[in-house]
Amino acid sequence: MPTTAAFAPFLGDPRIVGEGNLVKGTLISSRAQAMRQSYGARVVADLSRKLSPQAARHLTDPPLHSSWNDLAPLIEIDCALLNGLFGGRLERMRNFGAEVARNDLTTVYKTVSGSPSLLVKRISLVYKMYFKYGDMSVTTVSDVSGTVTLSGGGLPFYMCSQGISGWLEAGLQLSGSRRIAVEHTACRHHGAPRCTWSLGWG
């Protein structure tokens, strides 16, 4: 783990976050829907009043699914969630990533899955459905295991360590896997050249 005082447990290395990214309107809409389903419209409205106007609009009037949007307002929403409803528990972001997968893979992206191996093979396409920059690939180790690698992307620490991990877990479950193992084994925020995840399914 980096020893620099600039490292933040939530955002990670500011140099990586500073690379920036664009996020698809689908993820913003899914975030808003998941929050309403889990916490209710009143809680979402209360949270909106604590956000900047742009971030608040992401909750009250999400952009078109096909649009590309700056990542910063979404990070602001997640930070408010962490410090509010989640009580500072970073692992809650993993559950939130899973909720987004359950929403999207049963609605707008339901054609992506089908079986665990098919979902994993399409991981590059799946990543590009959410983020404009960065490349995600998979190396299949066996019929029921593999390694996912993300090069670039400028994602904050909580997204790669928790959000993506939760999405992968839920995605594999929805695709029919019952023996799931997802571990974020290397992270750019910890000095690795690329982020990697070890996957197991059966």
Side-chain angles (χ1 to χ4, degrees), residues 119-197:
L119 177 67
V120 172
K121 288 178 182 177
R122 292 177 172 175
I123 203 67
S124 177
L125 172 64
V126 170
Y127 177 81
K128 290 298 186 182
M129 289 177 172
Y130 291 109
F131 301 103
K132 190 171 182 67
Y133 304 120
D135 293 294
M136 185 171 275
S137 60
V138 62
T139 301
T140 303
V141 177
S142 73
D143 291 340
V144 292
S145 65
T147 299
V148 171
T149 301
L150 174 62
S151 301
L155 301 182
F157 176 62
Y158 78 92
M159 278 192 180
C160 50
S161 68
Q162 304 295 330
I164 290 177
S165 297
W167 195 102
L168 289 168
E169 286 176 341
L172 289 170
Q173 182 181 38
L174 287 169
S175 298
S177 178
R178 292 296 176 266
R179 295 185 297 276
I180 302 167
V182 176
E183 182 182 359
H184 186 43
T185 53
C187 187
R188 291 182 67 202
H189 291 278
H190 288 178
R194 291 169 293 278
C195 280
T196 61
W197 293 260

